[in-house]
Amino acid sequence: MTSFAERNGTSRRAINAKKRQSRRPSRIGAVAGATPKPDRVKDEDAGFPTLLKRAWERAVDAPDLRGAVEILLTLDGHVPADVQLRALRTADEAALKVLCGISWREQDLPAPARDERARPAFLGELGLTTTGRIVVRVPSQGPLADEETLVDGVIDVPWSAQDLLDYESEVDRAATRYADQVVDCRQWLAALGTQARDELLETVRESALRTAPFVLHQEGKLYTNFREGNNLIGKTLWAGHPGETFSSLLGVPMEDWSDHDAMLVVCLTLLVRSAGAGRIEEANGTQLTLDHLAYMLERTRLNYNAVPGGEPVPAAPAHRVEALNALAVALRERRMGHVLPNAQLYREIHGALMHKIERLAGPYGEASQRREAELAARLSDRLPVSGATFAELGESLTAAPEWLARPYGEFGTGLEALVYETVAGAAEVFEADFAMSRGMRSIPELMRALREQAYTEITKWDITDFFCCVVPAPAAKRYFEDSVLQLADTAWAMSSRMQYNSWHFIAGNLPKVPAVVERDHFIPPTIPDVAFYSDQHHHGHVAAKVRFSIRSPQSVEVMGQKFNGFMDLRLLRCEGAPFDESDLLAAHRTSGFIAGAMSAAAALVAGGEDIEVTAFDSEWHLKSVQAAAAASAKQPQQVP
């Protein structure tokens, strides 16, 4: 198998020599790995730990218990409160309902009157764990510090005699409800039989493997494939690992399953049946029970039924497995057959808890139209296309696409110029600190491999067979010690990571031959998302200060085959105002324009053209960032 560089006439000796050189823009030409110490050392407290400490300090200073709880529920304004409410254990949920009148089940409960001067019948505690979950010390429980890893101490919570009575009634009802659901899950699984149950386990195991990391709760038990404490298949645990939950259940009689495992497997099954593996992330950071599942599916049902036309999905008559299974299947059918063709879905991502919420977009309004018009005018000036909208630009491109295969301006092909000008224009029009778009360097090689059904070869392609054009705003250097070189290094680091993402997704579009199944890959994304406070967990996001972002993936057609997630457009801001839905809708049309150009380029290649993307390597990013910084320095400063 040849690499992209070899296919373009570079000798293996030259390739190996270059591999021994640093690709970081600030050290191009230097020997890789020869620096005596890292340029920048990551602060171990950066990101999530700092957020938790700040939220806890605010909660300690709150005037009353309800105020403290409300701060912790949102992690000081960083996540929706209902996510944290749905992360509570049964006892904690009952306690907060009794003590504060707060519950995700019944909204706007009256806050109970509390006399803090009365002699308490029990002195409880309120704490925040290092995973970001609220915990409460309830009667019959010892100090929280003996059982939980806390951020920093506890807040004392006095309970009255009436609180104790109300809590006992509330927790008894909740425990009965949970026990009934456990029995329902166990009976449903038992009725499947061993073979069907194992097939179901294989499905949820594959879904867990092919989606982004997630963290789920079952009372006090944690199920996760994310970093420490892994007990589900993912980057750390492989299929068959003795500590991997799904593998350990294969072939095991139902009576030997724990209640937690039974509830987990049923709920994951129904989530996957409702919309595929991506739905699992919508449970991130919450308890996974039939009640919580019913809440999510009902929210989805209301969204899907809001799309005019088609047969609406009826509500589940009860929170029973059979009823929720029927609802999940009906939701998937309406999603695929009616919602996706007629409406725009997107995901809202809350980075602090990695929690995703599927949203139904509203109309394409004035703010979106304004961004589109501004960017379309810019592209009409700089490229051989014309139009006031992306639809018109696309028609212009389709009418005369040949220039995509010819040199244009400073670029080897018009396709490269189109990618760059669209990304650079998006960075300016959307007021982003960085904008980027990724793709495959050689469409001819992909076509050859597809014709030969060389799927194993495709899985072995390197990340250098893909590209990502990253364009930072010159002013973004203020986030990186006002250094142009640091800005270029950051842009190249982003580019490298996005090349990996292209490599990671492409296998998900190929037939499931053994090489594809064995190769690490995620299910390619198909709908856009807008993210808030992403600078919490992902080490690259922390280092690059990726706080607010938009991702708009698009499919590209190659030889009649749709490749989902073949490319995307990403916009990010390091601070300031987050992106909103209007930004996302306009960005999605922008990425659609780039995807249309890539599909047009594929059609040209099928007709005999040879289009390769050779730009957007580390040297290109260095020169591009330096040139933009120099041009920005020459511009007269505006007087406010």
Side-chain angles (χ1 to χ4, degrees), residues 74-314:
T74 65
L75 293 181
D76 195 25
H78 287 72
V79 295
D82 81 282
V83 180
Q84 287 283 68
L85 277 173
R86 291 186 291 114
L88 296 169
R89 299 172 299 188
T90 299
D92 298 343
E93 181 183 335
L96 291 187
K97 181 178 179 181
V98 168
L99 297 171
C100 304
I102 295 176
S103 173
W104 64 274
R105 298 176 191 273
E106 297 94 4
Q107 300 302 313
D108 301 319
L109 295 172
R114 299 185 56 80
D115 185 358
E116 303 294 345
R117 298 167 298 176
R119 181 179 178 86
F122 169 72
L123 187 61
E125 298 171 339
L126 175 70
L128 182 67
T129 71
T130 53
T131 63
R133 190 158 56 99
I134 296 173
V135 287
V136 182
R137 181 189 176 191
V138 298
S140 77
Q141 180 184 355
L144 291 177
D146 293 346
E147 301 180 12
E148 304 282 354
T149 304
L150 302 175
V151 172
D152 183 16
V154 297
I155 296 173
D156 290 334
V157 180
W159 293 52
S160 69
Q162 186 61 50
D163 290 337
L164 293 177
L165 291 173
D166 293 343
Y167 168 77
E168 184 176 356
S169 298
E170 185 65 33
V171 80
D172 283 349
R173 284 194 298 270
T176 299
R177 183 169 58 237
Y178 181 80
D180 287 345
Q181 293 182 6
V182 167
V183 171
D184 189 25
C185 288
R186 297 184 73 92
Q187 289 177 342
W188 189 78
L189 288 168
L192 294 176
T194 302
Q195 181 177 342
R197 199 161 51 244
D198 283 353
E199 291 173 357
L200 185 151
L201 281 168
E202 292 287 6
T203 298
V204 294
R205 186 170 69 173
E206 177 71 6
S207 298
L209 178 63
R210 303 303 182 194
T211 193
F214 55 89
V215 178
L216 307 171
H217 300 288
Q218 269 287 329
E219 288 298 292
K221 184 175 177 63
L222 186 70
Y223 287 104
T224 183
N225 58 3
F226 182 61
R227 294 183 185 164
E228 298 82 6
N230 281 260
N231 52 10
L232 298 178
I233 193 168
K235 298 296 185 185
T236 303
L237 301 187
W238 57 92
H241 188 285
E244 202 280 304
T245 300
F246 301 133
S247 298
S248 68
L249 295 174
L250 286 168
V252 175
M254 192 64 235
E255 56 267 26
D256 292 336
W257 286 37
S258 73
D259 290 347
H260 291 318
D261 289 346
M263 185 79 78
L264 170 80
V265 171
V266 168
C267 290
L268 286 182
T269 297
L270 300 190
L271 286 173
V272 172
R273 286 181 178 177
S274 74
R279 185 76 86 198
I280 297 174
E281 296 173 272
E282 294 180 40
N284 242 346
T286 69
Q287 293 282 331
L288 200 58
T289 68
L290 293 186
D291 277 351
H292 289 81
L293 176 72
Y295 173 91
M296 293 172 57
L297 295 183
E298 175 63 11
R299 181 177 65 192
T300 302
R301 186 187 74 87
L302 295 174
N303 270 345
Y304 289 4
N305 284 351
V307 180
E311 189 67 28
V313 177

Side-chain angles (χ1 to χ4, degrees), residues 18 161 177 191 206 227 235 255 258 288 304-305 308 328-329 344 369 393 438 476 479 494 579 601 624:
K18 193 165 186 177
R177 183 169 58 237
E206 177 71 6
R227 294 183 185 164
K235 298 296 185 185
E255 56 267 26
S258 73
L288 200 58
Y304 289 4
N305 284 351
V329 172
Q344 181 62 62
Q369 294 169 11
L393 289 176
R438 59 178 178 80
Y479 303 119
M494 292 177 180
F579 294 106
S624 175

Side-chain angles (χ1 to χ4, degrees), residues 310-328:
E311 189 67 28
V313 177
H319 294 182
R320 311 293 292 180
V321 179
E322 283 294 350
L324 294 175
N325 181 56
L327 175 58

Side-chain angles (χ1 to χ4, degrees), residues 387-430:
T389 66
F390 281 118
E392 293 176 359
L393 289 176
E395 291 173 0
S396 175
L397 179 64
T398 301
E402 295 78 11
W403 67 275
L404 293 173
R406 310 283 182 261
Y408 190 86
E410 299 177 358
F411 292 94
T413 66
L415 179 62
E416 291 176 343
L418 183 145
V419 170
Y420 169 75
E421 291 294 352
T422 308
V423 170
E428 183 174 328
V429 169
F430 287 89

Side-chain angles (χ1 to χ4, degrees), residues 64 66 81 164 228 234 260 284 314 338 358 456 465 494 500 527:
D64 53 32
R66 187 182 177 101
L164 293 177
E228 298 82 6
H260 291 318
N284 242 346
H338 185 74
E358 188 180 70
T456 299
D465 287 297
M494 292 177 180
Y500 166 76
I527 64 174

